[in-house]
Amino acid sequence: MTGEDSTDSAAGPEASAPLVRSLRFALESPRAGRLQAALTLASAPLDWLEAHRGGFLHADEEALLTDRLHARRRHGLLIGRYAAKRAIAALHPDLDPRAVAIRPGVLEQPVVSGEGVGALGISLSHAGPVAVAVAFPEACPMGIDLERIREAHIELLTNQTTPAERERLAARLAAPEAERLTRLWCLKEALSKALRCGLTVPLDFLALGGVERDAAGLSVTFAHFAQYRGLSLAGGDLAAALVLPRPPAVTVSAEAAAWEAWRSALAEAAARGRDDE
């Protein structure tokens, strides 16, 4: 895995400049050959996104920003599109982001279109002013999720998970209960995005199977979907999960240093995000 770390230097105070971290990585598949994907984290205040949206939004995306859109939803839409466009740019640096549209599909999943993007998929998630996105070849479906870790959500998340998966995770992760439960939820939601079913199925269908420590921190399998694996990371009060096909279908070269940089970026975004909310 190769890392591409950058912090944009926009005009104005340094605090207003967006934080961007991208990881471009190779996927080795016996069936599809060598593929590329990119994972991006972005954090920016709403005023910066509003001022710069003309540089990254397609006209169809601009049309989604109606006057009736609440500020929080407006922020989520803009930071999600910004992170997604930066992920796409990591794979296609010569593309004009304004020529690429990310529209909602019939199941509300993000659908990428535009000349030059090919058969490209995108998954994205946001938590306040922070967003993550993964751009991937459609031959290798992926899903991503990002959530704030909150003590107030412990009871709700406990009711949405099974005792068996909570025990498996606790045995491998020495972390506060709120973090464990949030990371567990992120993994389930990321799997639902990779499957394109969303949270329309009984949550037990998305249950974790095995949990192991690896270069990413945590790598999990799923009880009912053996063809997928999930990678779980946390930094500060943010938890993120990436789900993709597991070996031997796809092998990801994931260096420990790259994942450590990603965790650091999560922690930095978490700290900035609290200031911007």
Side-chain angles (χ1 to χ4, degrees):
M1 177 178 288
T2 58
E4 295 182 339
D5 293 355
S6 66
T7 302
D8 288 356
S9 56
E14 181 64 25
S16 296
L19 169 70
V20 180
R21 297 289 185 269
S22 291
L23 293 174
R24 188 178 64 249
F25 52 94
L27 306 162
E28 296 288 348
S29 168
R31 292 186 176 181
R34 187 176 177 84
L35 306 170
Q36 293 283 327
L39 180 65
T40 292
L41 176 147
S43 175
L46 180 57
D47 58 356
W48 187 95
L49 293 163
E50 291 280 17
H52 293 79
R53 73 192 202 208
F56 65 88
L57 286 185
H58 184 277
D60 287 356
E61 297 167 329
E62 182 73 37
L64 299 174
L65 293 170
T66 68
D67 293 339
R68 292 177 296 177
L69 202 62
H70 187 273
R72 184 175 291 273
R73 291 194 62 189
R74 193 178 186 91
H75 201 166
L77 189 153
L78 284 167
I79 191 61
R81 289 303 192 279
Y82 183 66
K85 296 299 180 73
R86 293 301 296 260
I88 293 170
L91 299 179
H92 299 284
D94 295 331
L95 284 181
D96 183 345
R98 296 168 297 182
V100 177
I102 302 173
R103 302 179 180 91
V106 296
L107 299 176
E108 295 298 320
Q109 80 279 19
V111 179
V112 181
S113 63
E115 186 175 352
V117 297
L120 190 69
I122 196 82
S123 181
L124 59 92
S125 182
H126 64 86
V130 186
V132 290
V134 59
F136 54 89
E138 284 285 6
C140 183
M142 299 187 191
I144 199 165
D145 192 51
L146 177 73
E147 302 287 345
R148 274 289 172 202
I149 299 168
R150 300 189 190 279
E151 293 282 340
H153 293 168
I154 287 178
E155 182 177 359
L156 174 64
L157 293 176
T158 298
N159 292 335
Q160 301 292 346
T161 55
T162 68
E165 59 188 350
R166 293 196 298 271
E167 291 170 8
R168 291 189 188 103
L169 191 59
R172 295 288 185 177
L173 180 62
E177 185 179 19
E179 178 182 330
R180 294 199 310 271
L181 288 169
T182 305
R183 291 174 74 163
L184 177 53
W185 175 260
C186 282
L187 286 160
K188 294 160 84 82
E189 186 154 359
L191 175 61
S192 78
K193 293 180 180 181
L195 296 172
R196 293 191 176 176
C197 64
L199 298 177
T200 62
V201 298
L203 291 178
D204 287 356
F205 286 5
L206 307 173
L208 265 64
V211 181
E212 299 293 339
R213 303 287 304 186
D214 72 356
L218 283 179
S219 176
V220 309
T221 56
F222 297 95
H224 304 292
F225 295 94
Q227 69 271 44
Y228 284 98
R229 67 183 293 221
L231 304 176
S232 170
L233 301 97
D237 67 352
L238 286 174
L242 174 67
V243 168
L244 69 165
R246 64 182 295 195
V250 168
T251 301
V252 178
S253 179
E255 300 164 2
W259 291 119
E260 185 56 41
W262 187 254
R263 276 191 293 271
S264 296
L266 271 177
E268 185 177 353
R272 289 171 57 120
R274 284 192 297 271
D275 292 338
D276 290 336
E277 283 187 305

